[in-house]
Amino acid sequence: MVKKYLCDYCGTRFAYSPDTWRRHVRGAAHMAARAEHYRQLASAGDQWRSEVAGRRPCWRLSTPAGCPFGDDCRFSHLSPEELERLRAEAEAEQRPPPSLADWLRQRPRLAEQEVTEGPTVRWRPPPAVRQMAGVTPSLRPLEAAVAPHLIAEWG
């Protein structure tokens, strides 16, 4: 039985051998799909720098047929509004994250919450699980009489 390989970038399935894999990875369709994958993961700052670095607007984009080069065009395909949005996102990435005090000041509700002693129940198993016999201890609900020091010992 021949092993099948599914390419994560372009979704192509083929019989695996080192030679066929090498041929596939060097193919134009795979290289374009891989470049598009990493282009989507680029930060706003990287996208902004690549768009502003001397790229003029694409004149073919305004024709009825559109630009035949698509994302591989050496000219910019972004509108002025999209460029402005990208610039704002790039500036937001460069700002340092807020300090904890600033973050808490913006969220007074979180800063004023009381810290409760003892265990708090955050998750309840579904009713069907609670009624099953032989349920593992980790899925059983906590009993109200359990002391906090016993929870630490239990796990």
Side-chain angles (χ1 to χ4, degrees):
M1 182 159 167
V2 178
K3 247 186 184 177
K4 293 283 187 174
Y5 178 78
L6 174 66
C7 178
D8 291 331
Y9 295 114
C10 54
T12 305
R13 185 180 296 270
F14 55 90
Y16 180 77
S17 75
D19 186 45
T20 57
W21 179 81
R22 198 174 305 116
R23 226 178 309 130
H24 171 75
V25 168
R26 291 180 183 162
H30 174 81
M31 290 171 71
R34 183 176 182 266
E36 176 60 27
H37 172 77
Y38 284 108
R39 190 176 296 127
Q40 290 174 358
L41 297 177
S43 68
D46 292 340
Q47 291 176 2
W48 168 252
R49 282 187 287 282
S50 71
E51 286 294 327
V52 175
R55 292 177 74 180
R56 297 180 303 193
C58 181
W59 63 272
R60 290 183 180 150
L61 195 62
S62 61
T63 62
C67 181
F69 299 106
D71 289 336
D72 295 329
C73 185
R74 66 181 189 164
F75 298 104
S76 178
H77 284 189
L78 296 179
S79 68
E81 295 83 22
E82 291 172 325
L83 280 172
E84 182 59 31
R85 180 190 53 79
L86 195 59
R87 183 192 61 76
E89 285 180 20
E91 287 178 358
E93 280 181 357
Q94 291 179 347
R95 280 188 230 125
S99 68
L100 180 61
D102 292 339
W103 186 80
L104 287 173
R105 240 181 272 117
Q106 292 174 357
R107 290 156 181 80
R109 183 175 51 89
L110 293 175
E112 295 169 3
Q113 281 183 348
E114 293 180 15
V115 177
T116 59
E117 291 296 322
T120 57
V121 178
R122 293 191 178 102
W123 178 80
R124 295 190 189 285
V129 172
R130 282 185 245 149
Q131 295 169 359
M132 293 171 72
V135 176
T136 62
S138 61
L139 291 178
R140 290 185 202 141
L142 286 176
E143 295 154 10
V146 175
H149 70 280
L150 294 177
I151 292 175
E153 293 173 10
W154 181 62

